[in-house]
PDB file of all heavy atoms in Angstrom:
ATOM      1  N   GLN A   1     123.763  92.924  89.261  1.00  0.00           N
ATOM      2  CA  GLN A   1     124.259  94.296  89.270  1.00  0.00           C
ATOM      3  C   GLN A   1     125.027  94.590  90.567  1.00  0.00           C
ATOM      4  O   GLN A   1     126.059  95.265  90.533  1.00  0.00           O
ATOM      5  CB  GLN A   1     123.100  95.290  89.106  1.00  0.00           C
ATOM      6  CG  GLN A   1     122.469  95.281  87.726  1.00  0.00           C
ATOM      7  CD  GLN A   1     121.197  96.097  87.660  1.00  0.00           C
ATOM      8  OE1 GLN A   1     120.394  96.114  88.577  1.00  0.00           O
ATOM      9  NE2 GLN A   1     121.007  96.803  86.547  1.00  0.00           N
ATOM     10  N   ILE A   2     124.537  94.070  91.667  1.00  0.00           N
ATOM     11  CA  ILE A   2     125.230  94.277  92.949  1.00  0.00           C
ATOM     12  C   ILE A   2     126.547  93.554  92.946  1.00  0.00           C
ATOM     13  O   ILE A   2     127.569  94.086  93.412  1.00  0.00           O
ATOM     14  CB  ILE A   2     124.329  93.797  94.111  1.00  0.00           C
ATOM     15  CG1 ILE A   2     123.005  94.578  94.131  1.00  0.00           C
ATOM     16  CG2 ILE A   2     125.061  93.965  95.435  1.00  0.00           C
ATOM     17  CD1 ILE A   2     122.004  94.049  95.153  1.00  0.00           C
ATOM     18  N   GLU A   3     126.572  92.329  92.390  1.00  0.00           N
ATOM     19  CA  GLU A   3     127.829  91.595  92.340  1.00  0.00           C
ATOM     20  C   GLU A   3     128.849  92.330  91.455  1.00  0.00           C
ATOM     21  O   GLU A   3     130.059  92.314  91.741  1.00  0.00           O
ATOM     22  CB  GLU A   3     127.573  90.199  91.820  1.00  0.00           C
ATOM     23  CG  GLU A   3     126.844  89.302  92.844  1.00  0.00           C
ATOM     24  CD  GLU A   3     126.462  87.941  92.275  1.00  0.00           C
ATOM     25  OE1 GLU A   3     126.340  87.844  91.023  1.00  0.00           O
ATOM     26  OE2 GLU A   3     126.258  87.010  93.061  1.00  0.00           O
ATOM     27  N   ALA A   4     128.364  92.975  90.391  1.00  0.00           N
ATOM     28  CA  ALA A   4     129.271  93.748  89.550  1.00  0.00           C
ATOM     29  C   ALA A   4     129.852  94.948  90.303  1.00  0.00           C
ATOM     30  O   ALA A   4     131.030  95.301  90.102  1.00  0.00           O
ATOM     31  CB  ALA A   4     128.532  94.231  88.297  1.00  0.00           C
ATOM     32  N   ASP A   5     129.042  95.489  91.197  1.00  0.00           N
ATOM     33  CA  ASP A   5     129.512  96.639  91.978  1.00  0.00           C
ATOM     34  C   ASP A   5     130.670  96.241  92.934  1.00  0.00           C
ATOM     35  O   ASP A   5     131.463  97.081  93.339  1.00  0.00           O
ATOM     36  CB  ASP A   5     128.379  97.232  92.826  1.00  0.00           C
ATOM     37  CG  ASP A   5     127.492  98.157  91.991  1.00  0.00           C
ATOM     38  OD1 ASP A   5     127.896  98.548  90.876  1.00  0.00           O
ATOM     39  OD2 ASP A   5     126.388  98.493  92.465  1.00  0.00           O
ATOM     40  N   ARG A   6     130.743  94.974  93.252  1.00  0.00           N
ATOM     41  CA  ARG A   6     131.846  94.516  94.124  1.00  0.00           C
ATOM     42  C   ARG A   6     133.210  94.644  93.433  1.00  0.00           C
ATOM     43  O   ARG A   6     134.245  94.631  94.099  1.00  0.00           O
ATOM     44  CB  ARG A   6     131.641  93.071  94.547  1.00  0.00           C
ATOM     45  CG  ARG A   6     130.528  92.868  95.558  1.00  0.00           C
ATOM     46  CD  ARG A   6     130.653  91.552  96.259  1.00  0.00           C
ATOM     47  NE  ARG A   6     131.824  91.455  97.114  1.00  0.00           N
ATOM     48  CZ  ARG A   6     132.116  90.437  97.924  1.00  0.00           C
ATOM     49  NH1 ARG A   6     131.283  89.407  97.980  1.00  0.00           N
ATOM     50  NH2 ARG A   6     133.202  90.432  98.652  1.00  0.00           N
ATOM     51  N   GLN A   7     133.168  94.792  92.140  1.00  0.00           N
ATOM     52  CA  GLN A   7     134.417  94.937  91.383  1.00  0.00           C
ATOM     53  C   GLN A   7     134.769  96.417  91.143  1.00  0.00           C
ATOM     54  O   GLN A   7     135.745  96.701  90.440  1.00  0.00           O
ATOM     55  CB  GLN A   7     134.298  94.203  90.033  1.00  0.00           C
ATOM     56  CG  GLN A   7     133.790  92.785  90.113  1.00  0.00           C
ATOM     57  CD  GLN A   7     134.574  91.934  91.114  1.00  0.00           C
ATOM     58  OE1 GLN A   7     135.821  91.970  91.099  1.00  0.00           O
ATOM     59  NE2 GLN A   7     133.910  91.163  91.947  1.00  0.00           N
ATOM     60  N   SER A   8     133.996  97.309  91.693  1.00  0.00           N
ATOM     61  CA  SER A   8     134.211  98.738  91.479  1.00  0.00           C
ATOM     62  C   SER A   8     135.543  99.198  92.080  1.00  0.00           C
ATOM     63  O   SER A   8     136.070  98.575  93.029  1.00  0.00           O
ATOM     64  CB  SER A   8     133.066  99.540  92.111  1.00  0.00           C
ATOM     65  OG  SER A   8     133.342 100.935  92.087  1.00  0.00           O
ATOM     66  N   THR A   9     136.091 100.273  91.524  1.00  0.00           N
ATOM     67  CA  THR A   9     137.288 100.868  92.106  1.00  0.00           C
ATOM     68  C   THR A   9     136.945 101.853  93.238  1.00  0.00           C
ATOM     69  O   THR A   9     137.835 102.362  93.906  1.00  0.00           O
ATOM     70  CB  THR A   9     138.075 101.635  91.040  1.00  0.00           C
ATOM     71  OG1 THR A   9     137.212 102.621  90.415  1.00  0.00           O
ATOM     72  CG2 THR A   9     138.580 100.661  89.934  1.00  0.00           C
ATOM     73  N   ASN A  10     135.636 102.094  93.431  1.00  0.00           N
ATOM     74  CA  ASN A  10     135.185 102.983  94.513  1.00  0.00           C
ATOM     75  C   ASN A  10     134.927 102.113  95.752  1.00  0.00           C
ATOM     76  O   ASN A  10     134.047 101.248  95.747  1.00  0.00           O
ATOM     77  CB  ASN A  10     133.903 103.701  94.105  1.00  0.00           C
ATOM     78  CG  ASN A  10     133.426 104.700  95.143  1.00  0.00           C
ATOM     79  OD1 ASN A  10     133.374 104.409  96.325  1.00  0.00           O
ATOM     80  ND2 ASN A  10     133.017 105.869  94.683  1.00  0.00           N
ATOM     81  N   ARG A  11     135.693 102.360  96.821  1.00  0.00           N
ATOM     82  CA  ARG A  11     135.579 101.491  98.001  1.00  0.00           C
ATOM     83  C   ARG A  11     134.207 101.595  98.684  1.00  0.00           C
ATOM     84  O   ARG A  11     133.788 100.641  99.340  1.00  0.00           O
ATOM     85  CB  ARG A  11     136.680 101.785  99.000  1.00  0.00           C
ATOM     86  CG  ARG A  11     136.686 103.157  99.620  1.00  0.00           C
ATOM     87  CD  ARG A  11     137.959 103.410 100.404  1.00  0.00           C
ATOM     88  NE  ARG A  11     138.055 104.705 101.039  1.00  0.00           N
ATOM     89  CZ  ARG A  11     137.732 104.945 102.309  1.00  0.00           C
ATOM     90  NH1 ARG A  11     137.313 103.959 103.061  1.00  0.00           N
ATOM     91  NH2 ARG A  11     137.857 106.160 102.817  1.00  0.00           N
ATOM     92  N   TYR A  12     133.535 102.730  98.529  1.00  0.00           N
ATOM     93  CA  TYR A  12     132.212 102.866  99.121  1.00  0.00           C
ATOM     94  C   TYR A  12     131.172 102.059  98.340  1.00  0.00           C
ATOM     95  O   TYR A  12     130.268 101.460  98.932  1.00  0.00           O
ATOM     96  CB  TYR A  12     131.809 104.348  99.167  1.00  0.00           C
ATOM     97  CG  TYR A  12     132.763 105.172 100.013  1.00  0.00           C
ATOM     98  CD1 TYR A  12     133.706 106.007  99.404  1.00  0.00           C
ATOM     99  CD2 TYR A  12     132.706 105.120 101.392  1.00  0.00           C
ATOM    100  CE1 TYR A  12     134.582 106.767 100.155  1.00  0.00           C
ATOM    101  CE2 TYR A  12     133.582 105.879 102.172  1.00  0.00           C
ATOM    102  CZ  TYR A  12     134.522 106.689 101.543  1.00  0.00           C
ATOM    103  OH  TYR A  12     135.391 107.444 102.297  1.00  0.00           O
ATOM    104  N   THR A  13     131.307 102.039  97.029  1.00  0.00           N
ATOM    105  CA  THR A  13     130.435 101.189  96.222  1.00  0.00           C
ATOM    106  C   THR A  13     130.652  99.716  96.561  1.00  0.00           C
ATOM    107  O   THR A  13     129.688  98.938  96.685  1.00  0.00           O
ATOM    108  CB  THR A  13     130.710 101.443  94.722  1.00  0.00           C
ATOM    109  OG1 THR A  13     130.445 102.810  94.413  1.00  0.00           O
ATOM    110  CG2 THR A  13     129.825 100.549  93.860  1.00  0.00           C
ATOM    111  N   VAL A  14     131.885  99.328  96.765  1.00  0.00           N
ATOM    112  CA  VAL A  14     132.207  97.949  97.138  1.00  0.00           C
ATOM    113  C   VAL A  14     131.618  97.620  98.499  1.00  0.00           C
ATOM    114  O   VAL A  14     131.020  96.542  98.697  1.00  0.00           O
ATOM    115  CB  VAL A  14     133.736  97.737  97.137  1.00  0.00           C
ATOM    116  CG1 VAL A  14     134.072  96.353  97.696  1.00  0.00           C
ATOM    117  CG2 VAL A  14     134.291  97.902  95.727  1.00  0.00           C
ATOM    118  N   ALA A  15     131.759  98.537  99.450  1.00  0.00           N
ATOM    119  CA  ALA A  15     131.255  98.279 100.804  1.00  0.00           C
ATOM    120  C   ALA A  15     129.736  98.138 100.775  1.00  0.00           C
ATOM    121  O   ALA A  15     129.166  97.253 101.446  1.00  0.00           O
ATOM    122  CB  ALA A  15     131.655  99.431 101.726  1.00  0.00           C
ATOM    123  N   ARG A  16     129.035  98.978  99.989  1.00  0.00           N
ATOM    124  CA  ARG A  16     127.578  98.845  99.905  1.00  0.00           C
ATOM    125  C   ARG A  16     127.194  97.522  99.246  1.00  0.00           C
ATOM    126  O   ARG A  16     126.261  96.844  99.713  1.00  0.00           O
ATOM    127  CB  ARG A  16     126.972 100.014  99.119  1.00  0.00           C
ATOM    128  CG  ARG A  16     125.463  99.905  98.991  1.00  0.00           C
ATOM    129  CD  ARG A  16     124.821 101.049  98.252  1.00  0.00           C
ATOM    130  NE  ARG A  16     125.208 101.105  96.844  1.00  0.00           N
ATOM    131  CZ  ARG A  16     124.646 101.947  95.953  1.00  0.00           C
ATOM    132  NH1 ARG A  16     123.705 102.773  96.365  1.00  0.00           N
ATOM    133  NH2 ARG A  16     125.030 101.931  94.705  1.00  0.00           N
ATOM    134  N   ALA A  17     127.895  97.169  98.195  1.00  0.00           N
ATOM    135  CA  ALA A  17     127.568  95.903  97.511  1.00  0.00           C
ATOM    136  C   ALA A  17     127.737  94.732  98.450  1.00  0.00           C
ATOM    137  O   ALA A  17     126.905  93.820  98.496  1.00  0.00           O
ATOM    138  CB  ALA A  17     128.457  95.764  96.281  1.00  0.00           C
ATOM    139  N   LYS A  18     128.803  94.726  99.237  1.00  0.00           N
ATOM    140  CA  LYS A  18     129.044  93.638 100.188  1.00  0.00           C
ATOM    141  C   LYS A  18     127.917  93.570 101.197  1.00  0.00           C
ATOM    142  O   LYS A  18     127.414  92.478 101.510  1.00  0.00           O
ATOM    143  CB  LYS A  18     130.380  93.848 100.883  1.00  0.00           C
ATOM    144  CG  LYS A  18     130.721  92.746 101.874  1.00  0.00           C
ATOM    145  CD  LYS A  18     132.092  93.005 102.526  1.00  0.00           C
ATOM    146  CE  LYS A  18     132.423  91.911 103.545  1.00  0.00           C
ATOM    147  NZ  LYS A  18     133.736  92.148 104.198  1.00  0.00           N
ATOM    148  N   MET A  19     127.503  94.722 101.710  1.00  0.00           N
ATOM    149  CA  MET A  19     126.407  94.750 102.699  1.00  0.00           C
ATOM    150  C   MET A  19     125.100  94.235 102.100  1.00  0.00           C
ATOM    151  O   MET A  19     124.384  93.445 102.743  1.00  0.00           O
ATOM    152  CB  MET A  19     126.221  96.194 103.204  1.00  0.00           C
ATOM    153  CG  MET A  19     125.114  96.350 104.228  1.00  0.00           C
ATOM    154  SD  MET A  19     124.736  98.082 104.550  1.00  0.00           S
ATOM    155  CE  MET A  19     123.949  98.559 103.001  1.00  0.00           C
ATOM    156  N   LEU A  20     124.786  94.662 100.870  1.00  0.00           N
ATOM    157  CA  LEU A  20     123.521  94.248 100.254  1.00  0.00           C
ATOM    158  C   LEU A  20     123.535  92.760  99.919  1.00  0.00           C
ATOM    159  O   LEU A  20     122.513  92.070 100.072  1.00  0.00           O
ATOM    160  CB  LEU A  20     123.274  95.066  98.995  1.00  0.00           C
ATOM    161  CG  LEU A  20     123.046  96.570  99.196  1.00  0.00           C
ATOM    162  CD1 LEU A  20     122.881  97.262  97.843  1.00  0.00           C
ATOM    163  CD2 LEU A  20     121.824  96.824 100.070  1.00  0.00           C
ATOM    164  N   LEU A  21     124.683  92.235  99.489  1.00  0.00           N
ATOM    165  CA  LEU A  21     124.786  90.798  99.198  1.00  0.00           C
ATOM    166  C   LEU A  21     124.641  89.977 100.458  1.00  0.00           C
ATOM    167  O   LEU A  21     124.014  88.896 100.455  1.00  0.00           O
ATOM    168  CB  LEU A  21     126.106  90.476  98.501  1.00  0.00           C
ATOM    169  CG  LEU A  21     126.228  90.995  97.063  1.00  0.00           C
ATOM    170  CD1 LEU A  21     127.665  90.838  96.539  1.00  0.00           C
ATOM    171  CD2 LEU A  21     125.242  90.243  96.147  1.00  0.00           C
ATOM    172  N   GLU A  22     125.200  90.463 101.564  1.00  0.00           N
ATOM    173  CA  GLU A  22     125.044  89.766 102.842  1.00  0.00           C
ATOM    174  C   GLU A  22     123.575  89.759 103.271  1.00  0.00           C
ATOM    175  O   GLU A  22     123.070  88.763 103.811  1.00  0.00           O
ATOM    176  CB  GLU A  22     125.897  90.411 103.911  1.00  0.00           C
ATOM    177  CG  GLU A  22     127.395  90.171 103.725  1.00  0.00           C
ATOM    178  CD  GLU A  22     128.249  90.945 104.696  1.00  0.00           C
ATOM    179  OE1 GLU A  22     127.687  91.824 105.443  1.00  0.00           O
ATOM    180  OE2 GLU A  22     129.465  90.717 104.763  1.00  0.00           O
ATOM    181  N   GLN A  23     122.888  90.850 103.004  1.00  0.00           N
ATOM    182  CA  GLN A  23     121.458  90.923 103.330  1.00  0.00           C
ATOM    183  C   GLN A  23     120.686  89.901 102.505  1.00  0.00           C
ATOM    184  O   GLN A  23     119.814  89.187 103.048  1.00  0.00           O
ATOM    185  CB  GLN A  23     120.942  92.338 103.061  1.00  0.00           C
ATOM    186  CG  GLN A  23     119.427  92.498 103.308  1.00  0.00           C
ATOM    187  CD  GLN A  23     118.932  93.887 102.999  1.00  0.00           C
ATOM    188  OE1 GLN A  23     119.665  94.864 103.138  1.00  0.00           O
ATOM    189  NE2 GLN A  23     117.691  93.990 102.561  1.00  0.00           N
ATOM    190  N   LEU A  24     120.959  89.836 101.224  1.00  0.00           N
ATOM    191  CA  LEU A  24     120.262  88.883 100.345  1.00  0.00           C
ATOM    192  C   LEU A  24     120.586  87.454 100.757  1.00  0.00           C
ATOM    193  O   LEU A  24     119.694  86.571 100.751  1.00  0.00           O
ATOM    194  CB  LEU A  24     120.652  89.121  98.892  1.00  0.00           C
ATOM    195  CG  LEU A  24     120.160  90.434  98.253  1.00  0.00           C
ATOM    196  CD1 LEU A  24     120.767  90.594  96.872  1.00  0.00           C
ATOM    197  CD2 LEU A  24     118.628  90.460  98.190  1.00  0.00           C
ATOM    198  N   ALA A  25     121.829  87.200 101.131  1.00  0.00           N
ATOM    199  CA  ALA A  25     122.206  85.850 101.521  1.00  0.00           C
ATOM    200  C   ALA A  25     121.517  85.423 102.808  1.00  0.00           C
ATOM    201  O   ALA A  25     121.287  84.199 103.021  1.00  0.00           O
ATOM    202  CB  ALA A  25     123.731  85.794 101.704  1.00  0.00           C
ATOM    203  N   SER A  26     121.133  86.363 103.643  1.00  0.00           N
ATOM    204  CA  SER A  26     120.445  86.022 104.888  1.00  0.00           C
ATOM    205  C   SER A  26     118.951  85.761 104.666  1.00  0.00           C
ATOM    206  O   SER A  26     118.229  85.454 105.601  1.00  0.00           O
ATOM    207  CB  SER A  26     120.606  87.163 105.903  1.00  0.00           C
ATOM    208  OG  SER A  26     119.882  88.316 105.495  1.00  0.00           O
ATOM    209  N   GLY A  27     118.522  85.921 103.409  1.00  0.00           N
ATOM    210  CA  GLY A  27     117.117  85.672 103.095  1.00  0.00           C
ATOM    211  C   GLY A  27     116.235  86.893 103.178  1.00  0.00           C
ATOM    212  O   GLY A  27     114.994  86.789 103.026  1.00  0.00           O
ATOM    213  N   LYS A  28     116.813  88.063 103.363  1.00  0.00           N
ATOM    214  CA  LYS A  28     116.024  89.287 103.468  1.00  0.00           C
ATOM    215  C   LYS A  28     116.125  90.067 102.165  1.00  0.00           C
ATOM    216  O   LYS A  28     117.169  90.550 101.769  1.00  0.00           O
ATOM    217  CB  LYS A  28     116.545  90.155 104.617  1.00  0.00           C
ATOM    218  CG  LYS A  28     115.723  91.406 104.870  1.00  0.00           C
ATOM    219  CD  LYS A  28     116.255  92.184 106.061  1.00  0.00           C
ATOM    220  CE  LYS A  28     115.437  93.449 106.302  1.00  0.00           C
ATOM    221  NZ  LYS A  28     115.986  94.229 107.450  1.00  0.00           N
ATOM    222  N   PRO A  29     115.005  90.201 101.454  1.00  0.00           N
ATOM    223  CA  PRO A  29     115.035  90.889 100.156  1.00  0.00           C
ATOM    224  C   PRO A  29     115.231  92.411 100.359  1.00  0.00           C
ATOM    225  O   PRO A  29     114.986  92.965 101.425  1.00  0.00           O
ATOM    226  CB  PRO A  29     113.658  90.609  99.548  1.00  0.00           C
ATOM    227  CG  PRO A  29     112.779  90.359 100.741  1.00  0.00           C
ATOM    228  CD  PRO A  29     113.644  89.697 101.773  1.00  0.00           C
ATOM    229  N   LEU A  30     115.678  93.063  99.287  1.00  0.00           N
ATOM    230  CA  LEU A  30     115.827  94.525  99.342  1.00  0.00           C
ATOM    231  C   LEU A  30     114.450  95.154  99.378  1.00  0.00           C
ATOM    232  O   LEU A  30     113.533  94.756  98.672  1.00  0.00           O
ATOM    233  CB  LEU A  30     116.575  95.021  98.107  1.00  0.00           C
ATOM    234  CG  LEU A  30     117.977  94.437  97.850  1.00  0.00           C
ATOM    235  CD1 LEU A  30     118.601  95.070  96.613  1.00  0.00           C
ATOM    236  CD2 LEU A  30     118.864  94.652  99.069  1.00  0.00           C
ATOM    237  N   SER A  31     114.268  96.162 100.217  1.00  0.00           N
ATOM    238  CA  SER A  31     112.987  96.834 100.345  1.00  0.00           C
ATOM    239  C   SER A  31     112.839  97.893  99.263  1.00  0.00           C
ATOM    240  O   SER A  31     113.779  98.670  99.014  1.00  0.00           O
ATOM    241  CB  SER A  31     112.865  97.471 101.721  1.00  0.00           C
ATOM    242  OG  SER A  31     111.636  98.210 101.798  1.00  0.00           O
ATOM    243  N   PRO A  32     111.649  97.959  98.643  1.00  0.00           N
ATOM    244  CA  PRO A  32     111.429  99.012  97.617  1.00  0.00           C
ATOM    245  C   PRO A  32     111.070 100.370  98.211  1.00  0.00           C
ATOM    246  O   PRO A  32     110.943 101.358  97.484  1.00  0.00           O
ATOM    247  CB  PRO A  32     110.251  98.454  96.812  1.00  0.00           C
ATOM    248  CG  PRO A  32     109.478  97.644  97.822  1.00  0.00           C
ATOM    249  CD  PRO A  32     110.525  97.045  98.731  1.00  0.00           C
ATOM    250  N   THR A  33     110.937 100.420  99.537  1.00  0.00           N
ATOM    251  CA  THR A  33     110.587 101.686 100.212  1.00  0.00           C
ATOM    252  C   THR A  33     111.423 101.848 101.452  1.00  0.00           C
ATOM    253  O   THR A  33     112.068 100.907 101.929  1.00  0.00           O
ATOM    254  CB  THR A  33     109.083 101.718 100.603  1.00  0.00           C
ATOM    255  OG1 THR A  33     108.830 100.654 101.565  1.00  0.00           O
ATOM    256  CG2 THR A  33     108.203 101.523  99.392  1.00  0.00           C
ATOM    257  N   TYR A  34     111.361 103.066 102.042  1.00  0.00           N
ATOM    258  CA  TYR A  34     112.013 103.347 103.310  1.00  0.00           C
ATOM    259  C   TYR A  34     110.997 104.009 104.242  1.00  0.00           C
ATOM    260  O   TYR A  34     110.262 104.906 103.781  1.00  0.00           O
ATOM    261  CB  TYR A  34     113.231 104.268 103.105  1.00  0.00           C
ATOM    262  CG  TYR A  34     114.047 104.402 104.389  1.00  0.00           C
ATOM    263  CD1 TYR A  34     115.102 103.569 104.641  1.00  0.00           C
ATOM    264  CD2 TYR A  34     113.704 105.363 105.337  1.00  0.00           C
ATOM    265  CE1 TYR A  34     115.831 103.646 105.824  1.00  0.00           C
ATOM    266  CE2 TYR A  34     114.431 105.492 106.515  1.00  0.00           C
ATOM    267  CZ  TYR A  34     115.480 104.618 106.771  1.00  0.00           C
ATOM    268  OH  TYR A  34     116.186 104.711 107.944  1.00  0.00           O
ATOM    269  N   PRO A  35     110.946 103.613 105.514  1.00  0.00           N
ATOM    270  CA  PRO A  35     110.006 104.217 106.436  1.00  0.00           C
ATOM    271  C   PRO A  35     110.426 105.652 106.808  1.00  0.00           C
ATOM    272  O   PRO A  35     111.222 105.844 107.719  1.00  0.00           O
ATOM    273  CB  PRO A  35     110.036 103.286 107.657  1.00  0.00           C
ATOM    274  CG  PRO A  35     111.381 102.650 107.607  1.00  0.00           C
ATOM    275  CD  PRO A  35     111.704 102.511 106.136  1.00  0.00           C
ATOM    276  N   TYR A  36     109.877 106.631 106.125  1.00  0.00           N
ATOM    277  CA  TYR A  36     110.359 107.993 106.220  1.00  0.00           C
ATOM    278  C   TYR A  36     109.519 108.807 107.233  1.00  0.00           C
ATOM    279  O   TYR A  36     108.306 108.869 107.116  1.00  0.00           O
ATOM    280  CB  TYR A  36     110.266 108.668 104.829  1.00  0.00           C
ATOM    281  CG  TYR A  36     110.761 110.100 104.819  1.00  0.00           C
ATOM    282  CD1 TYR A  36     112.091 110.394 104.798  1.00  0.00           C
ATOM    283  CD2 TYR A  36     109.833 111.150 104.841  1.00  0.00           C
ATOM    284  CE1 TYR A  36     112.554 111.703 104.790  1.00  0.00           C
ATOM    285  CE2 TYR A  36     110.274 112.444 104.828  1.00  0.00           C
ATOM    286  CZ  TYR A  36     111.628 112.720 104.799  1.00  0.00           C
ATOM    287  OH  TYR A  36     112.062 114.039 104.796  1.00  0.00           O
ATOM    288  N   PRO A  37     110.170 109.443 108.193  1.00  0.00           N
ATOM    289  CA  PRO A  37     109.435 110.129 109.257  1.00  0.00           C
ATOM    290  C   PRO A  37     109.009 111.553 108.852  1.00  0.00           C
ATOM    291  O   PRO A  37     109.827 112.356 108.406  1.00  0.00           O
ATOM    292  CB  PRO A  37     110.446 110.190 110.412  1.00  0.00           C
ATOM    293  CG  PRO A  37     111.773 110.240 109.732  1.00  0.00           C
ATOM    294  CD  PRO A  37     111.643 109.434 108.457  1.00  0.00           C
ATOM    295  N   VAL A  38     107.731 111.817 109.054  1.00  0.00           N
ATOM    296  CA  VAL A  38     107.178 113.171 108.858  1.00  0.00           C
ATOM    297  C   VAL A  38     106.455 113.538 110.149  1.00  0.00           C
ATOM    298  O   VAL A  38     105.570 112.805 110.596  1.00  0.00           O
ATOM    299  CB  VAL A  38     106.195 113.214 107.681  1.00  0.00           C
ATOM    300  CG1 VAL A  38     105.590 114.645 107.533  1.00  0.00           C
ATOM    301  CG2 VAL A  38     106.885 112.815 106.386  1.00  0.00           C
ATOM    302  N   GLN A  39     106.792 114.676 110.745  1.00  0.00           N
ATOM    303  CA  GLN A  39     106.236 115.073 112.022  1.00  0.00           C
ATOM    304  C   GLN A  39     105.819 116.547 111.950  1.00  0.00           C
ATOM    305  O   GLN A  39     106.499 117.366 111.322  1.00  0.00           O
ATOM    306  CB  GLN A  39     107.232 114.886 113.143  1.00  0.00           C
ATOM    307  CG  GLN A  39     106.681 115.151 114.541  1.00  0.00           C
ATOM    308  CD  GLN A  39     107.687 114.751 115.620  1.00  0.00           C
ATOM    309  OE1 GLN A  39     108.895 114.766 115.383  1.00  0.00           O
ATOM    310  NE2 GLN A  39     107.197 114.433 116.799  1.00  0.00           N
TER     311      GLN A  39
END
């Protein structure tokens, strides 16, 4: 799905897809959560 996003006409979707694919290629999986701050 991310590779398909690289073919999008939306340059922001393409930029995100490129970033996520580089992350996967480095051996770091996508995180299912985000460390969200509550104070």
Side-chain angles (χ1 to χ4, degrees):
Q1 289 171 322
I2 300 172
E3 288 174 337
D5 279 346
R6 287 199 67 175
Q7 310 307 314
S8 172
T9 57
N10 184 315
R11 64 189 179 97
Y12 298 104
T13 299
V14 173
R16 179 179 66 172
K18 181 179 178 181
M19 179 190 70
L20 295 177
L21 289 171
E22 289 174 351
Q23 177 181 329
L24 292 173
S26 71
K28 185 178 180 181
L30 303 182
S31 175
T33 63
Y34 188 92
Y36 181 79
V38 178
Q39 186 173 26

